[in-house]
Amino acid sequence: MRLKPLFAALLVCVGASAIYAQKTPLPSASGCGPDSDIEGPCAGLFDAMPMNGIQAIGSHNSYHQRPTLPELKLIDHIRPGTSSGWDYGHAPLAEQLDLGMRQLELDVYYDPDGGRYADPLGPRLTAGTRGAEPYDAAPMQAPGFKVMHMQDIDVRSSCATLLSCLRQIRNWSDAHTGHVPLLIMFNTKQEMIDYEGTTWPLAVKQKAFAALEQEILAVFTRDRILTPDDVRQGEATLPAALRKHGWPTLSQTRGKVFFLIDENENVINMYMKRSKALEGKLLFVKSVAPTRPHAAIFVENEPLKHYDQICQLVDAGFIVRTRADAGLKEVRAGDKTRMLAALRSGAQFVTTDLYRMRADLGGYSVSLPGNKKVRRNPRWRREKNSAVAEPSSPGGKERSVRSLLNLFIG
């Protein structure tokens, strides 16, 4: 029964109009074509493409390491039913980037004095039990933002401080200067745990956001960061700039990073204050609506439920991040429906917990077709040599509809 509304939403996108108005020639050199890897040997041929013309895979909670078995039991005691969705771990950030991740996500805790999270409850209570592992608290003593999933109970991280995470990314970028712009997302963690002995996170307000920008600039020079002002180009709002200028091209943004605060509207407003179009700000924020002055990047994590909305946002020139899976539910079920919808939607960044198979979880993993690192966005259309809608051949729409049916009903 769920197929009908989903299929109707997919048809909205099949019949959508042109995605990009820029008249940008697409690759046609010998041995290269529009389906070449944008970071492969043909990369230079894509340099005139705007940066929203790509699609790449990203990782969810990119720093996250698997909790130990006794820690998982403690998590389920404090947060019943959650441990099965938290039982995943990622490779170091540089290895993820080598594998093609072009969007990374970091959960940050404000800790200006250092040491606030240096004695987490989980490793302390489970120490000495079967399956326990040592926990290195030394990095947690330093002042500055810490990176972990949830204080006290899910704390293991491949880079415990924000500075160490950013340095790993920068070092990789220095060695791979031809990469497409990397999207780095922040969740500012402020949730309290209702359990005795747990630490209350500090609120993230103006002072904390200023410190966040300072830590970023301590690692990345300003010329390596794509900011809202770079996109706005003096226009009154970001949507107005996107309509008039579009996104910068790949030649203008290779080797750069751009940052996004993925938070609720209250937190976003705290960061923006009077800068409603993010004037002078270092980070983008999760867009609330396409008409808002700050709108540029959307986080739409439900590609089945919101498929048509994602398509429309992509067609309007926005950048969208969505998720191929969540809580390991699709992974454990071996269900790729959500993943395939996410890829087909045109969302520029498709995030997963599993970009390579894990033996104990079956054959599920997320990658681009042909194991490309970055591909031309599937909603990019071409007419002759311009980046506009491809003319439909006779029966083309019927074939598209049939392929969608095959996709969702086998």
Side-chain angles (χ1 to χ4, degrees):
M1 296 298 291
R2 190 167 63 89
L3 178 63
K4 290 185 178 180
L6 171 60
F7 181 59
L10 290 168
L11 291 181
V12 170
C13 293
V14 170
S17 60
I19 311 173
Y20 306 107
Q22 295 96 331
K23 295 182 178 179
T24 306
L26 291 176
S28 58
S30 176
C32 295
D35 294 326
S36 297
D37 193 323
I38 291 176
E39 288 190 357
C42 303
L45 294 175
F46 292 90
D47 278 351
M49 177 183 285
M51 59 181 278
N52 62 321
I54 69 167
Q55 187 174 66
I57 305 302
S59 59
H60 168 244
N61 292 346
S62 308
Y63 58 87
H64 193 260
Q65 303 297 286
R66 291 180 71 180
T68 65
L69 182 58
E71 288 167 2
L72 287 171
K73 291 179 179 178
L74 180 64
I75 289 168
D76 252 352
H77 174 68
I78 296 174
R79 291 286 179 97
T82 59
S83 69
S84 63
W86 294 3
D87 186 19
Y88 64 93
H90 289 299
L93 298 183
E95 186 175 340
Q96 292 183 52
L97 291 164
D98 282 339
L99 291 169
M101 302 303 104
R102 295 298 177 262
Q103 172 260 306
L104 300 173
E105 182 179 36
L106 304 174
D107 292 335
V108 294
Y109 284 81
Y110 185 43
D111 186 17
D113 299 322
R116 187 174 186 85
Y117 305 102
D119 186 24
L121 187 69
R124 174 159 42 91
L125 291 184
T126 61
T129 63
R130 180 177 297 180
E133 295 179 8
Y135 174 76
D136 181 10
M140 309 300 278
Q141 299 288 353
F145 282 91
K146 304 304 184 295
V147 177
M148 56 186 157
H149 188 218
M150 182 162 283
Q151 77 276 18
D152 283 303
I153 62 173
D154 192 9
V155 298
R156 296 184 184 271
S157 174
S158 63
C159 47
T161 68
L162 177 58
L163 286 173
S164 66
C165 296
L166 294 177
R167 287 174 184 137
Q168 290 178 32
I169 298 167
R170 182 204 59 199
N171 292 344
W172 183 91
S173 178
D174 288 345
H176 303 82
T177 54
H179 66 77
V180 300
L182 306 176
L183 174 59
I184 303 172
M185 299 174 58
F186 294 127
N187 296 133
T188 58
K189 302 304 282 281
Q190 305 176 60
E191 182 182 357
M192 294 177 286
I193 302 173
D194 185 15
Y195 193 83
E196 184 179 356
T198 56
T199 302
W200 286 26
L202 297 177
V204 177
K205 297 184 177 180
Q206 284 291 300
K207 187 176 180 180
F209 279 123
L212 179 61
E213 290 193 347
Q214 289 171 6
E215 290 203 16
I216 292 170
L217 289 171
V219 177
F220 287 96
T221 56
R222 171 62 183 80
D223 63 308
R224 297 283 296 277
I225 303 169
L226 180 74
T227 70
D229 283 343
D230 295 332
V231 175
R232 203 166 49 82
Q233 296 189 55
E235 303 297 332
T237 69
L238 281 165
L242 293 176
R243 287 191 297 270
K244 184 174 181 179
H245 307 291
W247 287 89
T249 64
L250 290 178
S251 66
Q252 295 170 316
T253 55
R254 286 189 188 274
K256 294 192 176 188
V257 295
F258 61 122
F259 297 93
L260 176 74
I261 298 172
D262 176 16
E263 279 295 348
N264 62 56
E265 194 166 358
N266 289 335
V267 176
I268 288 169
N269 288 335
M270 177 65 68
Y271 176 68
M272 292 192 300
K273 284 296 185 183
R274 294 186 177 90
S275 301
K276 300 305 181 185
L278 295 170
E279 302 95 327
K281 295 295 186 181
L282 197 65
L283 292 77
F284 292 87
V285 298
K286 181 175 73 173
S287 302
V288 175
T291 55
R292 293 291 186 92
H294 67 262
I297 305 173
F298 283 80
V299 178
E300 296 290 344
N301 287 330
E302 299 287 346
L304 293 174
K305 187 184 299 182
H306 299 146
Y307 186 96
D308 57 338
Q309 183 175 341
I310 294 173
C311 291
Q312 291 160 12
L313 290 168
V314 171
D315 289 353
F318 296 106
I319 285 177
V320 180
R321 179 264 204 169
T322 193
R323 291 183 66 175
D325 45 74
L328 297 181
K329 292 178 182 177
E330 293 82 5
V331 176
R332 296 182 190 282
D335 182 1
K336 296 186 177 182
T337 306
R338 178 174 176 168
M339 176 191 76
L340 293 170
L343 291 170
R344 188 176 288 270
S345 73
Q348 287 85 355
F349 297 99
V350 177
T351 302
T352 181
D353 287 326
L354 219 66
Y355 39 83
R356 56 187 178 189
M357 288 185 291
R358 210 173 91 186
D360 62 321
L361 292 177
Y364 182 98
S365 66
V366 176
S367 61
L368 294 177
N371 289 316
K372 297 183 182 72
K373 287 184 168 62
V374 185
R375 71 168 177 172
R376 184 182 69 152
N377 193 296
R379 296 195 57 73
W380 181 283
R381 299 290 182 260
R382 180 177 58 158
E383 182 177 349
K384 297 180 180 178
N385 290 324
S386 297
V388 294
E390 290 179 342
S392 297
S393 58
K397 186 169 183 178
E398 181 183 346
R399 284 194 295 273
S400 295
V401 172
R402 187 179 302 119
S403 69
L404 290 173
L405 279 169
N406 290 337
L407 173 63
F408 284 94
I409 62 176

